[in-house]
Amino acid sequence: MCLGVPAVVVEIDEEKGYAEVDYGDGVLRKAFVGISLDRINRGDLVIVHANVVISKISLEEAEEIMKILKEIALMSDEEQKLSKN
Amino acid sequence: MAEFSKFEILKEVEILLRSRDVANLLVNCIKKLCEKISEDVRIMSFCGTHEWSVTNYGLRSLLPKKIEIIAGPGCPVCVTPSYYIEELIKLSMDGVQIYTYGDVFRLPAVKLVRGAKSLEDAKALGGEVRVVTGLVDAIELAKNCKDSIFVGIGFETVAPGYAHAILKDLIPKNLKILSLLKLTPPAMYFTVEKIDKDEKPLSGIIAPGHVSTIVGAKAWKKVAEDFRIPIVVAGFEPVDILMAIAKILQQIISGEAKVELEYTRAVSYDGDLRAQKLLSSIFEAKEDAWRGIGFIPGSGLRINEGYRRYDAFEYFNIEELRKSEWNYDLNAGCRCSDIVLGRAKPTDCKLFMRVCNPENPYGPCMVSVEGTCSIWARFGAKEFTDDILEELKLR
Amino acid sequence: MKFIKLSHGSGGVEMGDILSKLVFSKVDEKLKKVENGVGIDLPDDGAAIPLKNITNDYIILSTDAYTVNPPFFPGGNIGSLAATGSINDVVMTGGKPIAALDSIVVEEGYPLDQLEIIVDSMIDVFKKEGVALIGGDFKVMPKGNLDKILITTTVLGLAKKPIVDIPKDGDVLVVSDFVGDHGAVIMLLQMGVADKASELKSGRLSSDIKPLTRLLPLIDRFLDEINAARDPTRGGIAGVLNEWAKNSGNLIVVEDVPIRDEVRRYAEMLGIDPMYLASEGAAVFSVSAEVAEEFVEDMRDLGFENAKIIGKVKKSEKYKGFVLKKTEIGGFRLLEPPRGEIVPRIC
């Protein structure tokens, strides 16, 4: 229901609660910060839905997932090796 | 210039979340879990964007036959009553500038209004309609312009954005918001309550990840407890969804029914407290009409007394849809209400791909790109792809 | 004379002046006609091409009207687009482009300096490709009757054998480059950032407009093995593949179509599928499986380093005309033909 897109916060207007974000195409676009402003800092990776910042992506959690998934991916390599042998 | 290293990390995560190896392993794991369950497993992907991922990545073609993924009512466009679109068509032709999302632009009304059946038609006939990506765009465009309406469709995700703009007075005086916002937890409760009495009840729910960033995983607790259904809040990458399915199966096996969080990188248990507060201070929750479903108590948000000057209902004298008038909401023969509730598949509807197709949508489920019928029409049903794979021996 | 007036299109002195300034003075004498023929060296009702000294067997002709809003975009403008587009259509039919006609319709009041840049860009492409501009038309429409500018180009080419697109069972599909760049850029400009031209320049997205004439030696060499060739413009690669599947009655299976990261991200942002976005400098081929690898290698040697195999053509009894896409995670889905306008979605 809600297409969320990752973007990097480049600039924040604290007073108005605007963030300028880059979705990865190098163009800055405005978005409202609908969530707690103190959660958002310059350089943060956030999720934007229809011009509204709805969440911050936790890099720790992302790295945690990466760790788990890499292990899974490795397991699949081993499984393949086993099945080939 | 943005910090591209952040995108690099994200890209790495994305690569893994879309990895064939990881998906294969999870599918194997799901198959093994399935062997421990005797009955068929019906999982509702409540959110339209989940349904989009499921189809876009061809997840159904990977899952065991025993698992059925049913699309839920989680598309704010498809559930917007025809009545409001009809009112907007009239206003656009009376010289009011309408700003709207692309999928609302194409949403068909039931009645023909001054020769138009959608805002797209209205534009072609001289109505003032413009597609925007969000309220920010509308604000920029409406500055120093005439009377304008932003069609405020959406769920809890976009609602805090509208609320924020109202609270901070960022909206030009000539631009009014027509809040047709809907709340998801009441709708999920309503849906599950309805299907619960059916022959084939739900075995689990994939809860909307982005709505949960605002309302928190806690919002689904009541549904899980009252109906004893496992619920997993999931992200939108294919591996996210596969993980959520595995978690639901694990719960079924161990006889649990709780809310679990898979989308940990973006969602917390409590959600965002400021956003929740914003919603309750700017809007009031009302009984609201869901197209093809009916009136659901406390499921709609309207701008409250204190902020009426932003309210399009007030300024343009738009009347609310009355309960007594609601029944005309679907075209004759249209089974969108059953499809939205997960009771029927698009292929069960006699109109599907005969009278109703993506070029000429007849019912709301065919309109939005994430409407179940539209997705099935464009990407094909599971049976269909399965059959092709069988013939070509591609599996 | 800073902007276009209706009189510039009235066939009088003003028109003669503007044509000579905009077009005639800029085309090399040699390229005003096909050798020994008649062209804009002597502007007449039509142009003449002598066939007696031409040994090839087929004349290839292609015409297309170009409208693009906005007329200027990162990577090019409507002028370069008009020249490149029709050249590529001829190349994809197996022809070597030799001559072109253009028809420019411009709105009254349009700034002359901008028009000049557009026409220069068009002439520049023809010049670089050695295509003679042998005739054309120029009209002005009253203000409000046209949105800025419309250019129609007709390009003529010669081929030993035309490529008629009928992919065969067992064929391998090859794409020359990333797809969707042009469509993404135009969409980007239309979705409210048209006023941010300076930012766009620093951005990483630009149109992929380029003539595909460099592919001619490859087409020449593999002529008997190429069963279809097309540049995926409007409707994107999904459009081309669906047309091919439908016309040949075969089933097409694709996977791993090369899409630039920026384009993918931008498309995800709007909720659109890059498989439907236009390219203006990429080509898709359907070639016999035996030569596919060699074909790709040769293509890379010609400078198309992103060339790759993206799928197969298969015979199907029950599912003629469908395109199946193998997804990143190994699932399958149908790739539908393009429908309606591409609009961004909220959900």
Side-chain angles (χ1 to χ4, degrees), chain B residues 4 11 14 18 20 52 56-59 61 102-103 359 370 377-379 384 387-389 391-392, chain C residues 204 251 255 264-265 268 316-319 322 327-329 332-334 336 339 344-347:
Chain B
F4 299 115
K11 201 173 156 188
E14 269 176 6
R18 294 175 190 178
R20 197 168 288 188
W52 188 87
N56 183 51
Y57 289 101
L59 283 182
S61 70
D103 27 16
E359 290 103 289
E370 63 161 322
R378 289 176 299 118
F379 300 123
F384 190 62
D387 214 28
I388 300 182
L389 296 180
E391 188 192 308
L392 294 181
Chain C
R204 287 167 294 285
L251 194 145
E255 72 176 301
R264 184 181 58 80
R265 233 174 241 302
E268 278 179 15
S316 166
E317 288 308 320
K318 274 160 78 185
Y319 297 100
F322 284 99
T327 70
E328 291 94 317
I329 59 157
F332 285 91
R333 69 150 162 115
L334 286 184
E336 268 279 312
R339 301 169 196 267
R345 63 194 171 104
I346 166 186
C347 32

CSV table of all heavy atoms in Angstrom, one decimal, chain B residues 4 11 14 18 20 52 56-59 61 102-103 359 370 377-379 384 387-389 391-392, chain C residues 204 251 255 264-265 268 316-319 322 327-329 332-334 336 339 344-347:
chain,number,residue,atom,x,y,z
B,4,PHE,N,27.3,8.9,-0.7
B,4,PHE,CA,27.0,7.7,-1.5
B,4,PHE,C,27.4,6.4,-0.8
B,4,PHE,O,26.9,5.3,-1.1
B,4,PHE,CB,27.7,7.8,-2.8
B,4,PHE,CG,27.1,9.0,-3.6
B,4,PHE,CD1,27.9,10.1,-3.9
B,4,PHE,CD2,25.8,9.1,-3.9
B,4,PHE,CE1,27.4,11.2,-4.5
B,4,PHE,CE2,25.3,10.2,-4.5
B,4,PHE,CZ,26.1,11.3,-4.8
B,11,LYS,N,22.9,-0.9,-1.0
B,11,LYS,CA,22.9,-1.7,-2.2
B,11,LYS,C,23.4,-3.1,-1.8
B,11,LYS,O,22.8,-4.1,-2.3
B,11,LYS,CB,23.9,-1.1,-3.2
B,11,LYS,CG,23.8,-1.6,-4.6
B,11,LYS,CD,24.7,-0.8,-5.5
B,11,LYS,CE,24.9,-1.6,-6.8
B,11,LYS,NZ,25.9,-1.0,-7.6
B,14,GLU,N,20.5,-4.8,-0.3
B,14,GLU,CA,19.5,-5.1,-1.4
B,14,GLU,C,19.9,-6.3,-2.2
B,14,GLU,O,19.1,-7.1,-2.5
B,14,GLU,CB,19.3,-3.9,-2.3
B,14,GLU,CG,18.2,-2.9,-1.8
B,14,GLU,CD,18.2,-1.7,-2.7
B,14,GLU,OE1,18.9,-1.6,-3.7
B,14,GLU,OE2,17.4,-0.8,-2.4
B,18,ARG,N,17.7,-9.6,-2.5
B,18,ARG,CA,17.2,-10.0,-3.8
B,18,ARG,C,18.0,-11.2,-4.4
B,18,ARG,O,18.1,-11.4,-5.6
B,18,ARG,CB,17.2,-8.9,-4.8
B,18,ARG,CG,16.2,-7.8,-4.4
B,18,ARG,CD,16.3,-6.6,-5.3
B,18,ARG,NE,15.5,-5.5,-4.7
B,18,ARG,CZ,15.4,-4.3,-5.2
B,18,ARG,NH1,16.1,-4.0,-6.3
B,18,ARG,NH2,14.7,-3.3,-4.6
B,20,ARG,N,19.3,-14.8,-5.3
B,20,ARG,CA,18.7,-16.1,-5.7
B,20,ARG,C,19.1,-17.2,-4.8
B,20,ARG,O,18.3,-18.0,-4.4
B,20,ARG,CB,19.2,-16.4,-7.1
B,20,ARG,CG,18.4,-17.4,-7.8
B,20,ARG,CD,18.7,-17.5,-9.3
B,20,ARG,NE,18.2,-16.4,-10.0
B,20,ARG,CZ,18.2,-16.3,-11.3
B,20,ARG,NH1,18.7,-17.3,-12.1
B,20,ARG,NH2,17.7,-15.2,-12.0
B,52,TRP,N,2.5,-6.6,-4.7
B,52,TRP,CA,3.3,-6.2,-5.8
B,52,TRP,C,4.6,-6.9,-5.9
B,52,TRP,O,5.0,-7.5,-6.9
B,52,TRP,CB,3.5,-4.7,-5.8
B,52,TRP,CG,4.2,-4.2,-7.1
B,52,TRP,CD1,3.5,-3.8,-8.2
B,52,TRP,CD2,5.5,-4.1,-7.4
B,52,TRP,NE1,4.4,-3.5,-9.2
B,52,TRP,CE2,5.7,-3.6,-8.7
B,52,TRP,CE3,6.7,-4.3,-6.6
B,52,TRP,CZ2,6.9,-3.4,-9.3
B,52,TRP,CZ3,7.9,-4.0,-7.2
B,52,TRP,CH2,8.0,-3.6,-8.5
B,56,ASN,N,5.8,-9.3,-8.6
B,56,ASN,CA,6.9,-8.8,-9.4
B,56,ASN,C,8.1,-9.8,-9.4
B,56,ASN,O,8.8,-10.0,-10.4
B,56,ASN,CB,7.3,-7.5,-8.9
B,56,ASN,CG,8.4,-6.9,-9.8
B,56,ASN,OD1,8.3,-6.8,-11.0
B,56,ASN,ND2,9.5,-6.4,-9.1
B,57,TYR,N,8.3,-10.4,-8.3
B,57,TYR,CA,9.5,-11.3,-8.2
B,57,TYR,C,9.1,-12.8,-8.4
B,57,TYR,O,9.9,-13.7,-8.3
B,57,TYR,CB,10.1,-11.2,-6.8
B,57,TYR,CG,10.9,-9.9,-6.6
B,57,TYR,CD1,10.3,-8.8,-6.0
B,57,TYR,CD2,12.1,-9.7,-7.3
B,57,TYR,CE1,11.0,-7.6,-5.9
B,57,TYR,CE2,12.8,-8.5,-7.2
B,57,TYR,CZ,12.2,-7.4,-6.5
B,57,TYR,OH,12.9,-6.2,-6.4
B,58,GLY,N,7.8,-13.0,-8.7
B,58,GLY,CA,7.4,-14.3,-9.1
B,58,GLY,C,7.5,-15.3,-7.9
B,58,GLY,O,7.7,-16.5,-8.0
B,59,LEU,N,7.2,-14.8,-6.7
B,59,LEU,CA,7.3,-15.6,-5.5
B,59,LEU,C,6.4,-16.8,-5.5
B,59,LEU,O,6.8,-17.9,-5.1
B,59,LEU,CB,7.1,-14.8,-4.2
B,59,LEU,CG,8.2,-13.8,-3.7
B,59,LEU,CD1,7.8,-13.1,-2.5
B,59,LEU,CD2,9.5,-14.6,-3.5
B,61,SER,N,5.5,-18.6,-7.8
B,61,SER,CA,6.0,-19.7,-8.6
B,61,SER,C,7.1,-20.5,-7.9
B,61,SER,O,7.5,-21.6,-8.3
B,61,SER,CB,6.5,-19.2,-10.0
B,61,SER,OG,7.7,-18.5,-9.8
B,102,GLY,N,-0.7,9.6,-9.3
B,102,GLY,CA,-1.0,8.9,-10.6
B,102,GLY,C,-2.0,7.8,-10.6
B,102,GLY,O,-2.8,7.7,-11.5
B,103,ASP,N,-2.0,7.0,-9.5
B,103,ASP,CA,-3.0,5.9,-9.6
B,103,ASP,C,-4.4,6.4,-9.2
B,103,ASP,O,-5.4,5.8,-9.7
B,103,ASP,CB,-2.6,4.7,-8.7
B,103,ASP,CG,-1.7,5.1,-7.5
B,103,ASP,OD1,-1.6,6.3,-7.2
B,103,ASP,OD2,-1.1,4.2,-6.9
B,359,GLU,N,-6.7,-1.7,-19.5
B,359,GLU,CA,-6.9,-0.6,-20.3
B,359,GLU,C,-8.3,0.0,-19.9
B,359,GLU,O,-8.5,1.2,-20.0
B,359,GLU,CB,-7.0,-0.9,-21.8
B,359,GLU,CG,-5.6,-1.3,-22.4
B,359,GLU,CD,-5.5,-2.7,-22.5
B,359,GLU,OE1,-5.4,-3.5,-21.5
B,359,GLU,OE2,-5.5,-3.2,-23.7
B,370,GLU,N,-1.4,-1.7,-8.0
B,370,GLU,CA,-1.2,-2.7,-7.0
B,370,GLU,C,-2.6,-3.4,-6.7
B,370,GLU,O,-2.7,-4.2,-5.7
B,370,GLU,CB,-0.5,-2.2,-5.8
B,370,GLU,CG,-1.3,-1.1,-5.1
B,370,GLU,CD,-0.9,-0.9,-3.6
B,370,GLU,OE1,-0.6,-1.9,-3.0
B,370,GLU,OE2,-0.9,0.2,-3.2
B,377,ALA,N,-3.8,-9.5,-13.8
B,377,ALA,CA,-4.0,-9.3,-15.3
B,377,ALA,C,-2.6,-9.1,-15.9
B,377,ALA,O,-2.3,-9.6,-17.0
B,377,ALA,CB,-4.9,-8.1,-15.6
B,378,ARG,N,-1.8,-8.3,-15.3
B,378,ARG,CA,-0.5,-8.0,-15.9
B,378,ARG,C,0.6,-9.0,-15.7
B,378,ARG,O,1.4,-9.2,-16.6
B,378,ARG,CB,0.0,-6.6,-15.3
B,378,ARG,CG,-0.8,-5.4,-15.8
B,378,ARG,CD,-0.4,-4.1,-15.2
B,378,ARG,NE,-0.5,-4.2,-13.8
B,378,ARG,CZ,0.5,-4.0,-12.9
B,378,ARG,NH1,1.7,-3.8,-13.4
B,378,ARG,NH2,0.2,-4.1,-11.7
B,379,PHE,N,0.5,-9.7,-14.6
B,379,PHE,CA,1.6,-10.6,-14.4
B,379,PHE,C,1.2,-12.1,-14.4
B,379,PHE,O,1.9,-13.0,-14.4
B,379,PHE,CB,2.2,-10.4,-13.0
B,379,PHE,CG,2.8,-9.0,-12.8
B,379,PHE,CD1,2.4,-8.2,-11.8
B,379,PHE,CD2,3.8,-8.6,-13.7
B,379,PHE,CE1,2.9,-6.9,-11.7
B,379,PHE,CE2,4.3,-7.3,-13.6
B,379,PHE,CZ,3.9,-6.5,-12.5
B,384,PHE,N,-1.2,-20.1,-14.1
B,384,PHE,CA,-0.8,-19.8,-15.5
B,384,PHE,C,0.7,-19.9,-15.7
B,384,PHE,O,1.2,-20.6,-16.6
B,384,PHE,CB,-1.3,-18.3,-15.6
B,384,PHE,CG,-1.2,-17.8,-17.0
B,384,PHE,CD1,-2.0,-18.4,-18.0
B,384,PHE,CD2,-0.4,-16.8,-17.3
B,384,PHE,CE1,-1.9,-17.9,-19.3
B,384,PHE,CE2,-0.3,-16.3,-18.6
B,384,PHE,CZ,-1.1,-16.9,-19.6
B,387,ASP,N,1.9,-23.4,-15.4
B,387,ASP,CA,1.6,-24.2,-16.6
B,387,ASP,C,2.6,-23.9,-17.7
B,387,ASP,O,3.1,-24.9,-18.3
B,387,ASP,CB,0.2,-23.7,-17.1
B,387,ASP,CG,-0.5,-24.8,-17.7
B,387,ASP,OD1,-0.3,-26.0,-17.3
B,387,ASP,OD2,-1.4,-24.6,-18.6
B,388,ILE,N,3.0,-22.7,-17.9
B,388,ILE,CA,4.0,-22.4,-18.9
B,388,ILE,C,5.4,-23.0,-18.5
B,388,ILE,O,6.0,-23.7,-19.4
B,388,ILE,CB,4.3,-20.8,-19.0
B,388,ILE,CG1,3.0,-20.1,-19.4
B,388,ILE,CG2,5.3,-20.5,-20.0
B,388,ILE,CD1,3.1,-18.6,-19.6
B,389,LEU,N,5.7,-22.9,-17.2
B,389,LEU,CA,7.0,-23.5,-16.8
B,389,LEU,C,7.0,-25.0,-17.0
B,389,LEU,O,8.0,-25.6,-17.5
B,389,LEU,CB,7.2,-23.2,-15.3
B,389,LEU,CG,7.4,-21.7,-15.0
B,389,LEU,CD1,7.6,-21.5,-13.5
B,389,LEU,CD2,8.5,-21.1,-15.8
B,391,GLU,N,5.3,-26.6,-19.3
B,391,GLU,CA,5.4,-26.9,-20.8
B,391,GLU,C,6.8,-26.7,-21.3
B,391,GLU,O,7.3,-27.5,-22.1
B,391,GLU,CB,4.4,-26.0,-21.6
B,391,GLU,CG,4.3,-26.4,-23.0
B,391,GLU,CD,3.7,-25.3,-23.9
B,391,GLU,OE1,2.6,-24.9,-23.6
B,391,GLU,OE2,4.3,-25.0,-24.9
B,392,LEU,N,7.4,-25.7,-20.8
B,392,LEU,CA,8.8,-25.4,-21.3
B,392,LEU,C,9.9,-26.2,-20.5
B,392,LEU,O,11.0,-26.1,-20.8
B,392,LEU,CB,9.1,-23.9,-21.2
B,392,LEU,CG,8.2,-23.0,-22.1
B,392,LEU,CD1,8.7,-21.6,-21.9
B,392,LEU,CD2,8.4,-23.4,-23.5
C,204,ARG,N,23.4,11.9,-12.1
C,204,ARG,CA,24.0,10.8,-12.8
C,204,ARG,C,23.1,10.2,-13.9
C,204,ARG,O,23.4,9.2,-14.5
C,204,ARG,CB,24.5,9.8,-11.8
C,204,ARG,CG,25.7,10.2,-11.1
C,204,ARG,CD,25.9,9.3,-9.9
C,204,ARG,NE,24.9,9.4,-8.9
C,204,ARG,CZ,24.7,10.4,-8.1
C,204,ARG,NH1,25.5,11.4,-8.1
C,204,ARG,NH2,23.7,10.4,-7.2
C,251,LEU,N,7.3,-17.9,-27.7
C,251,LEU,CA,7.3,-17.5,-26.3
C,251,LEU,C,8.7,-17.0,-26.0
C,251,LEU,O,9.6,-17.6,-26.5
C,251,LEU,CB,6.9,-18.7,-25.4
C,251,LEU,CG,6.5,-18.4,-24.0
C,251,LEU,CD1,5.4,-19.3,-23.5
C,251,LEU,CD2,7.7,-18.5,-23.0
C,255,GLU,N,15.8,-12.7,-18.8
C,255,GLU,CA,16.3,-12.5,-17.4
C,255,GLU,C,17.5,-11.5,-17.5
C,255,GLU,O,18.1,-11.4,-18.5
C,255,GLU,CB,16.6,-13.8,-16.7
C,255,GLU,CG,17.9,-14.5,-17.2
C,255,GLU,CD,18.2,-15.7,-16.3
C,255,GLU,OE1,18.3,-15.6,-15.1
C,255,GLU,OE2,18.2,-16.8,-16.8
C,264,ARG,N,17.3,2.3,-12.2
C,264,ARG,CA,16.5,1.3,-11.4
C,264,ARG,C,16.0,2.0,-10.1
C,264,ARG,O,14.8,2.0,-9.8
C,264,ARG,CB,17.4,0.1,-11.0
C,264,ARG,CG,16.6,-0.9,-10.3
C,264,ARG,CD,17.6,-2.1,-9.9
C,264,ARG,NE,18.7,-1.7,-9.1
C,264,ARG,CZ,18.6,-1.5,-7.8
C,264,ARG,NH1,17.5,-1.6,-7.1
C,264,ARG,NH2,19.7,-1.1,-7.1
C,265,ARG,N,16.9,2.8,-9.5
C,265,ARG,CA,16.5,3.4,-8.2
C,265,ARG,C,15.4,4.5,-8.5
C,265,ARG,O,14.5,4.6,-7.7
C,265,ARG,CB,17.8,4.1,-7.6
C,265,ARG,CG,18.0,3.7,-6.2
C,265,ARG,CD,19.2,4.3,-5.7
C,265,ARG,NE,20.1,3.2,-5.3
C,265,ARG,CZ,19.8,2.3,-4.4
C,265,ARG,NH1,18.6,2.3,-3.8
C,265,ARG,NH2,20.6,1.3,-4.1
C,268,GLU,N,12.2,2.8,-9.2
C,268,GLU,CA,11.6,2.3,-7.9
C,268,GLU,C,11.0,3.4,-7.1
C,268,GLU,O,10.0,3.2,-6.5
C,268,GLU,CB,12.7,1.6,-7.1
C,268,GLU,CG,12.9,0.1,-7.6
C,268,GLU,CD,14.0,-0.6,-6.8
C,268,GLU,OE1,14.4,-0.1,-5.7
C,268,GLU,OE2,14.4,-1.6,-7.3
C,316,SER,N,6.1,-22.6,-28.3
C,316,SER,CA,5.1,-23.0,-27.3
C,316,SER,C,3.8,-23.4,-28.0
C,316,SER,O,3.4,-22.6,-28.9
C,316,SER,CB,4.9,-21.9,-26.3
C,316,SER,OG,3.8,-22.2,-25.5
C,317,GLU,N,3.2,-24.5,-27.6
C,317,GLU,CA,2.0,-24.8,-28.2
C,317,GLU,C,0.8,-24.0,-27.7
C,317,GLU,O,0.0,-23.5,-28.3
C,317,GLU,CB,1.7,-26.3,-28.0
C,317,GLU,CG,2.6,-27.2,-28.9
C,317,GLU,CD,2.6,-26.9,-30.4
C,317,GLU,OE1,1.5,-26.5,-30.9
C,317,GLU,OE2,3.6,-26.9,-31.0
C,318,LYS,N,0.9,-23.9,-26.3
C,318,LYS,CA,-0.3,-23.3,-25.6
C,318,LYS,C,-0.1,-21.8,-25.4
C,318,LYS,O,-1.1,-21.1,-25.2
C,318,LYS,CB,-0.5,-24.0,-24.3
C,318,LYS,CG,-1.4,-25.2,-24.4
C,318,LYS,CD,-1.2,-26.1,-23.2
C,318,LYS,CE,-1.9,-25.7,-21.9
C,318,LYS,NZ,-1.6,-26.5,-20.8
C,319,TYR,N,1.1,-21.3,-25.3
C,319,TYR,CA,1.3,-20.0,-24.8
C,319,TYR,C,2.1,-19.1,-25.9
C,319,TYR,O,3.1,-18.6,-25.6
C,319,TYR,CB,2.0,-19.9,-23.5
C,319,TYR,CG,1.2,-20.5,-22.4
C,319,TYR,CD1,1.4,-21.9,-22.0
C,319,TYR,CD2,0.1,-19.9,-21.9
C,319,TYR,CE1,0.6,-22.4,-21.1
C,319,TYR,CE2,-0.7,-20.4,-21.0
C,319,TYR,CZ,-0.5,-21.7,-20.6
C,319,TYR,OH,-1.3,-22.3,-19.6
C,322,PHE,N,3.6,-14.9,-25.5
C,322,PHE,CA,3.8,-14.4,-24.1
C,322,PHE,C,5.3,-14.2,-23.9
C,322,PHE,O,6.2,-14.8,-24.5
C,322,PHE,CB,3.3,-15.4,-23.1
C,322,PHE,CG,1.8,-15.4,-22.9
C,322,PHE,CD1,1.1,-16.4,-23.6
C,322,PHE,CD2,1.2,-14.5,-22.2
C,322,PHE,CE1,-0.3,-16.4,-23.4
C,322,PHE,CE2,-0.2,-14.5,-22.0
C,322,PHE,CZ,-0.9,-15.4,-22.7
C,327,THR,N,12.9,-13.8,-12.6
C,327,THR,CA,13.2,-12.7,-11.7
C,327,THR,C,14.5,-12.9,-11.0
C,327,THR,O,15.1,-14.0,-11.1
C,327,THR,CB,12.1,-12.5,-10.6
C,327,THR,OG1,12.1,-13.6,-9.7
C,327,THR,CG2,10.7,-12.4,-11.2
C,328,GLU,N,15.0,-11.8,-10.4
C,328,GLU,CA,16.3,-11.9,-9.7
C,328,GLU,C,16.4,-13.1,-8.8
C,328,GLU,O,17.5,-13.7,-8.7
C,328,GLU,CB,16.5,-10.6,-8.9
C,328,GLU,CG,16.7,-9.3,-9.7
C,328,GLU,CD,15.4,-8.6,-9.9
C,328,GLU,OE1,14.4,-9.2,-10.2
C,328,GLU,OE2,15.4,-7.4,-9.7
C,329,ILE,N,15.3,-13.4,-8.1
C,329,ILE,CA,15.4,-14.5,-7.1
C,329,ILE,C,15.1,-15.8,-7.7
C,329,ILE,O,15.0,-16.8,-7.0
C,329,ILE,CB,14.5,-14.2,-5.9
C,329,ILE,CG1,13.0,-14.1,-6.3
C,329,ILE,CG2,15.0,-13.0,-5.1
C,329,ILE,CD1,12.1,-14.4,-5.2
C,332,PHE,N,9.3,-16.8,-11.6
C,332,PHE,CA,8.9,-16.4,-12.9
C,332,PHE,C,7.7,-15.5,-12.9
C,332,PHE,O,6.8,-15.7,-12.0
C,332,PHE,CB,8.6,-17.6,-13.8
C,332,PHE,CG,9.8,-18.3,-14.2
C,332,PHE,CD1,10.3,-19.4,-13.4
C,332,PHE,CD2,10.5,-18.0,-15.4
C,332,PHE,CE1,11.5,-20.0,-13.8
C,332,PHE,CE2,11.6,-18.6,-15.8
C,332,PHE,CZ,12.1,-19.7,-15.0
C,333,ARG,N,7.6,-14.5,-13.8
C,333,ARG,CA,6.4,-13.8,-13.9
C,333,ARG,C,6.2,-13.4,-15.4
C,333,ARG,O,7.1,-13.4,-16.2
C,333,ARG,CB,6.4,-12.5,-13.0
C,333,ARG,CG,7.4,-11.5,-13.5
C,333,ARG,CD,6.9,-10.1,-13.1
C,333,ARG,NE,7.9,-9.1,-13.0
C,333,ARG,CZ,7.8,-8.0,-13.9
C,333,ARG,NH1,6.9,-8.0,-14.8
C,333,ARG,NH2,8.7,-7.1,-13.8
C,334,LEU,N,5.0,-13.0,-15.7
C,334,LEU,CA,4.7,-12.5,-17.1
C,334,LEU,C,5.2,-11.1,-17.2
C,334,LEU,O,5.1,-10.3,-16.3
C,334,LEU,CB,3.3,-12.6,-17.4
C,334,LEU,CG,2.6,-14.0,-17.6
C,334,LEU,CD1,1.2,-13.8,-18.0
C,334,LEU,CD2,3.4,-14.7,-18.7
C,336,GLU,N,4.2,-8.1,-19.2
C,336,GLU,CA,3.1,-7.6,-19.9
C,336,GLU,C,3.5,-6.6,-21.0
C,336,GLU,O,4.4,-5.9,-20.8
C,336,GLU,CB,2.1,-7.0,-19.0
C,336,GLU,CG,1.1,-8.0,-18.5
C,336,GLU,CD,0.0,-8.2,-19.5
C,336,GLU,OE1,-0.5,-7.2,-20.1
C,336,GLU,OE2,-0.3,-9.4,-19.8
C,339,ARG,N,0.9,-0.7,-21.4
C,339,ARG,CA,-0.5,-0.2,-21.6
C,339,ARG,C,-0.6,1.2,-21.0
C,339,ARG,O,0.0,1.5,-20.0
C,339,ARG,CB,-1.5,-1.0,-20.7
C,339,ARG,CG,-1.5,-2.5,-21.1
C,339,ARG,CD,-2.3,-3.2,-20.0
C,339,ARG,NE,-2.1,-4.6,-20.0
C,339,ARG,CZ,-2.9,-5.4,-20.7
C,339,ARG,NH1,-3.9,-5.0,-21.3
C,339,ARG,NH2,-2.7,-6.7,-20.6
C,344,PRO,N,3.3,7.7,-12.1
C,344,PRO,CA,3.9,7.2,-10.9
C,344,PRO,C,2.8,6.8,-9.9
C,344,PRO,O,1.6,7.2,-10.1
C,344,PRO,CB,4.6,8.4,-10.3
C,344,PRO,CG,4.0,9.6,-11.0
C,344,PRO,CD,3.5,9.1,-12.3
C,345,ARG,N,3.1,5.9,-9.0
C,345,ARG,CA,2.1,5.4,-8.1
C,345,ARG,C,2.4,5.8,-6.7
C,345,ARG,O,3.6,6.0,-6.4
C,345,ARG,CB,1.8,3.9,-8.3
C,345,ARG,CG,3.0,3.1,-7.9
C,345,ARG,CD,2.9,1.7,-8.4
C,345,ARG,NE,4.2,1.0,-8.2
C,345,ARG,CZ,4.4,0.1,-7.2
C,345,ARG,NH1,3.5,-0.2,-6.4
C,345,ARG,NH2,5.6,-0.5,-7.1
C,346,ILE,N,1.5,5.8,-5.8
C,346,ILE,CA,1.7,6.1,-4.4
C,346,ILE,C,1.9,4.8,-3.7
C,346,ILE,O,2.6,4.6,-2.7
C,346,ILE,CB,0.5,6.9,-3.8
C,346,ILE,CG1,0.6,6.8,-2.3
C,346,ILE,CG2,-0.8,6.3,-4.2
C,346,ILE,CD1,-0.6,7.5,-1.6
C,347,CYS,N,1.3,3.7,-4.2
C,347,CYS,CA,1.4,2.4,-3.5
C,347,CYS,C,1.9,1.3,-4.4
C,347,CYS,O,2.1,1.5,-5.5
C,347,CYS,CB,0.1,2.1,-2.9
C,347,CYS,SG,-1.4,2.6,-3.8
